[in-house]
């Protein structure tokens, strides 16, 4: 069969012709007021995008390998965690992220009999220890394992309100680790910005500013930096967000002669997840994982549908893992490299988000940098302002979460099913800065419903 151009018999339609037809169909209604809407980031979204109006000046950077399916495991009992890791890898997981309880965990015992070839292991550390990082580095060297250490003192400061020790000692330890390890040892935990309500431009700018703090304070970073991102519900914007993140990171890294691409781990946001009608969470996480994959994440760790109120459980893990397995092996999301390439809408969003984030980043640096603005409360205030705007949209019903503020099931009872406290915890204590607080949109409404249950 000849490879003919199927559309050669049709004349091309210009953007001007499209607009004329749309204006005719609107029957007098204003084009901009009716069809153009503005995102929380200040981006005006048009009803269509055309190649004669699209001049893309940025080249997308995408990973060569398809995304890996990550299983999260909190290590409380080493033997049980080892058994669980082995089981999940046998059932489709391709990477494991261990969150360690403390620095007494035996790496050899935790990794016993686990496959090392073509599997990435992430060690998420809620502490900062040169000795423990050296142990992980020694294990990698001895066993030729693919390992990432996740240290993030700035993320610790943002979330907890305090450093591990203090600024000077934390960065002294990071510089020591950098000089001794061949393992990627640094992570930027930017999920907190999204989960607390920051808009996409803020998320990108704060992530870039955090990377800049590390580049400035740790001269000898000779390993890839891991970036953890939370993926929200605005499908095409989230695809563009991840693409813009790579462009921005690589632009910044080149200024420091850092020649490694970032390693992005994406997880669905908690912000739009709900306690009531919780099965809808599976639909939300599916589209969010799709955005992460199409945006070029290196690895995706799904969020279980019941994660906000249930402890880790085999059923929730299996469902969340199977969502990714379906996307990869039945929907063939791993078969095309850079599938969003050439989509005028996504390309335009990518460029606009990158430009706006770069402008905000420059403003942060001009005013002392991320750490300085965390200490004086500027970052927290800006995130709160963005979060409040989104909260008002939810409270007024303009931002819809089905089953919660739209079409709720009045017979749904959850009071007796709570294994975890699903709301912001009030914990009065002395901190260096005001922590960035993650909060779901539906919390206030859900608390009211719980108080009314029999």
């Amino acid at each position: 069969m000849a490879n003919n151009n199927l559309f050669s018999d049709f004349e091309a339609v210009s953007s001007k012709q499209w607009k004329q037809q749309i204006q005719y169909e609107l029957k007098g209604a204003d084009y901009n007021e009716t069809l153009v809407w503005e995102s929380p980031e200040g981006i005006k979204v048009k009803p269509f995008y055309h190649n004669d109006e699209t001049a893309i000046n940025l080249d997308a950077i995408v990973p060569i390998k398809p995304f890996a399916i990550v299983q999260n495991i909190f290590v409380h009992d080493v033997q049980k965690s080892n058994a669980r890791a082995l089981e999940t890898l046998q059932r489709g997981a391709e990477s494991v992220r261990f969150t360690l309880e403390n620095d007494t965990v035996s790496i050899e015992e935790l990794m016993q009999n686990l496959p090392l070839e073509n599997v990435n292991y992430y060690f998420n550390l809620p502490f900062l220890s040169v000795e423990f990082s050296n142990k992980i580095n020694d294990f990698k060297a001895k066993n030729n394992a693919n390992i990432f250490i996740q240290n993030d003192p700035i993320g610790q400061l943002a979330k907890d309100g305090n450093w591990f020790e203090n600024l000077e000692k934390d960065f002294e330890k990071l510089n020591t680790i950098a000089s001794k390890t061949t393992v990627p040892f640094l992570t930027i935990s930017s999920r907190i910005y999204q989960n607390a309500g920051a808009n996409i431009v803020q998320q990108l700018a704060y992530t870039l500013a955090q990377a800049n703090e590390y580049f400035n304070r740790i001269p000898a970073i000779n390993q890839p930096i891991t970036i953890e991102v939370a993926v929200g519900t605005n499908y095409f914007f989230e695809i563009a967000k991840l693409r813009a993140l790579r462009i921005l990171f690589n632009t910044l890294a080149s200024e420091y002669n850092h020649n490694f691409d970032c390693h992005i781990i994406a997880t669905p946001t908690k912000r739009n997840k709900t306690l009531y009608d919780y099965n809808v969470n599976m639909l939300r996480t599916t589209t969010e994982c799709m955005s992460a994959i199409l945006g070029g994440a290196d690895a995706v760790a799904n969020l279980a549908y019941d994660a906000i109120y249930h402890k880790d459980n085999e059923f929730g893990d299996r469902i969340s893992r199977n969502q990714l397995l379906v996307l990869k092996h039945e929907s063939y999301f791993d078969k095309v490299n850079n599938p969003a390439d050439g989509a005028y809408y996504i390309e335009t969003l990518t460029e606009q988000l990158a430009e706006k984030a770069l402008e905000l980043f420059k403003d942060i640096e001009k005013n002392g940098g991320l750490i300085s603005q965390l200490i004086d409360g500027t970052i927290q205030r800006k995130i709160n302002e963005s979060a409040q705007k989104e909260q008002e949209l939810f409270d007024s019903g303009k931002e819809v979460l089905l089953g919660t503020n739209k079409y709720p099931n009045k017979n749904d009872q959850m009071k007796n099913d709570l294994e975890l406290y699903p709301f912001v915890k009030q914990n009065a204590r002395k901190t260096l800065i005001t922590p960035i607080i993650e909060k779901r949109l539906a919390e206030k409404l859900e608390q009211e419903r719980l108080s009314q249950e029999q």
Side-chain angles (χ1 to χ4, degrees), residues 318-336:
R318 181 160 55 87
I319 293 294
S320 63
R321 189 169 57 249
N322 285 349
Q323 289 173 259
L324 292 171
L325 287 168
V326 168
L327 289 175
K328 190 164 194 175
H329 299 297
E330 297 185 31
S331 302
Y332 306 110
F333 268 49
D334 63 331
K335 298 302 181 186
V336 179

Side-chain angles (χ1 to χ4, degrees), residues 12-29:
V13 180
S14 69
S15 60
K16 182 178 179 181
Q17 289 172 293
W18 275 113
K19 286 179 182 177
Q20 289 174 340
Q21 182 63 34
I22 291 170
Q23 197 66 63
Y24 171 77
E25 297 288 347
L26 286 173
K27 298 179 180 178

Side-chain angles (χ1 to χ4, degrees), residues 51-67:
N51 65 350
D52 66 15
E53 289 186 332
T54 307
I56 302 302
N57 301 312
L58 299 176
D59 293 325
I61 303 164
V62 294
I64 298 173
K65 295 181 180 180
F67 76 99

Side-chain angles (χ1 to χ4, degrees), residues 30-300:
D30 184 85
Y31 175 91
N32 289 318
E33 289 185 7
T34 307
L35 297 179
V36 177
W37 59 275
E38 186 170 328
S39 77
E41 295 78 20
I43 293 175
K44 292 188 182 333
V45 180
K46 301 183 294 184
F48 75 96
Y49 290 78
H50 195 285
N51 65 350
D52 66 15
E53 289 186 332
T54 307
I56 302 302
N57 301 312
L58 299 176
D59 293 325
I61 303 164
V62 294
I64 298 173
K65 295 181 180 180
F67 76 99
I69 299 171
V70 179
Q71 179 67 55
N72 289 319
I73 297 177
F74 181 83
V75 180
H76 176 67
D77 182 300
V78 174
Q79 291 183 342
K80 288 182 179 178
S81 297
N82 171 268
R84 185 178 169 204
L86 185 59
E87 181 191 19
T88 57
L89 289 168
Q90 291 170 343
R91 300 181 73 170
E94 298 161 326
S95 298
V96 176
R97 177 163 54 186
F98 292 115
T99 296
L100 305 189
E101 189 172 41
N102 52 54
D103 60 1
T104 64
V105 172
S106 166
I107 300 300
E108 288 75 14
E109 188 177 351
L110 181 61
M111 296 291 292
Q112 187 176 7
N113 298 324
L114 293 180
L116 300 180
E117 190 175 353
N118 299 321
V119 180
N120 287 337
Y121 293 93
Y122 306 91
F123 289 88
N124 183 31
L125 307 184
F127 53 85
L128 186 59
S129 168
V130 174
E131 293 75 19
F132 198 81
S133 294
N134 289 340
K135 288 180 182 179
I136 296 176
N137 186 62
D138 291 343
F139 180 88
K140 170 188 167 57
K142 182 179 178 181
N143 297 278
N144 195 28
N146 300 314
I147 288 177
F148 294 76
I149 303 173
Q150 296 192 263
N151 291 308
D152 185 13
I154 299 177
Q156 163 74 11
L157 174 69
K159 185 171 184 176
D160 185 72
N162 290 312
W163 297 99
F164 289 111
E165 287 188 68
N166 56 53
L167 187 152
E168 290 76 18
K169 289 185 178 179
D170 282 6
F171 276 97
E172 182 182 336
K173 287 183 178 180
L174 281 181
N175 275 286
T176 302
I177 293 169
S179 67
K180 292 185 176 182
T181 184
T182 60
V183 177
F185 67 94
L186 200 55
T187 287
I188 298 171
S189 305
S190 67
R191 286 186 296 173
I192 190 171
Y193 304 130
Q194 202 285 338
N195 282 318
N199 64 43
I200 290 175
V201 168
Q202 290 172 329
Q203 294 168 45
L204 290 170
Y206 299 159
T207 303
L208 197 63
Q210 192 166 334
N212 197 47
E213 292 282 2
Y214 284 130
F215 281 130
N216 267 314
R217 296 171 187 273
I218 313 170
I221 303 177
N222 296 313
Q223 303 86 4
I225 294 176
T226 301
I227 302 179
E228 292 186 334
V229 299
V231 181
T233 189
N234 195 340
Y235 188 74
F236 293 107
F237 272 69
E238 293 293 333
I239 295 172
K241 178 177 83 176
L242 266 65
R243 292 162 66 86
L245 175 58
R246 281 196 190 276
I247 293 169
L248 290 168
F249 178 86
N250 281 276
T251 301
L252 176 67
S254 66
E255 296 296 317
Y256 292 91
N257 297 316
H258 181 81
N259 300 316
F260 297 95
D261 191 10
C262 57
H263 184 86
I264 298 176
I265 306 176
T267 302
T269 180
K270 292 180 181 177
R271 188 153 172 79
N272 65 348
K273 302 306 178 286
T274 56
L275 183 60
Y276 291 92
D277 212 350
Y278 48 75
N279 288 317
V280 181
N281 289 333
M282 279 189 276
L283 303 179
R284 298 176 182 128
T285 55
T286 298
T287 59
E288 288 154 8
C289 287
M290 289 167 66
S291 290
I293 297 163
L294 296 175
D298 296 279
V300 182

